[in-house]
Amino acid sequence: AGADGDSAGGVTPIGTTLTRLINHVSDKRDAAGELVAQFIAGEPVEMHRLMAAQEEGSLALELLVESRNKLLDAWRTLNSIQV
């Protein structure tokens, strides 16, 4: 295994990939939440940064959901082939 958790063949295990994707989504959503909290508290927050952070969080979550859907489809296909 490599230093970043990759297997010897250079292919990242699916669990590691999913964990990274979930962490990425969480980080984006947390960053957006922090900007919203600052804005609500009356701190100077540039509106374009706030909106961009919100959109990044939303897109990251959408990517996670679509990735999950594709993985489920692939799993179902593999299961139907093995029967």
Side-chain angles (χ1 to χ4, degrees):
D4 60 356
D6 290 350
S7 63
V11 177
T12 303
I14 196 160
T16 303
T17 301
L18 288 175
T19 300
R20 287 181 184 167
L21 187 55
I22 291 168
N23 288 338
H24 177 74
V25 170
S26 180
D27 291 346
K28 291 293 183 184
R29 307 272 299 175
D30 288 347
E34 288 176 20
L35 284 174
V36 169
Q38 290 173 0
F39 179 75
I40 291 172
E43 296 178 25
V45 176
E46 296 175 359
M47 190 58 68
H48 69 277
R49 283 188 59 217
L50 177 65
M51 293 176 69
Q54 291 278 60
E55 188 64 20
E56 284 179 14
S58 177
L59 289 173
L61 182 59
E62 191 175 319
L63 174 64
L64 177 63
V65 170
E66 288 300 320
S67 298
R68 181 209 60 167
N69 292 344
K70 293 294 182 184
L71 285 170
L72 285 174
D73 288 343
W75 180 259
R76 289 182 187 123
T77 300
L78 284 174
N79 280 334
S80 68
I81 291 171
Q82 292 178 0
V83 172

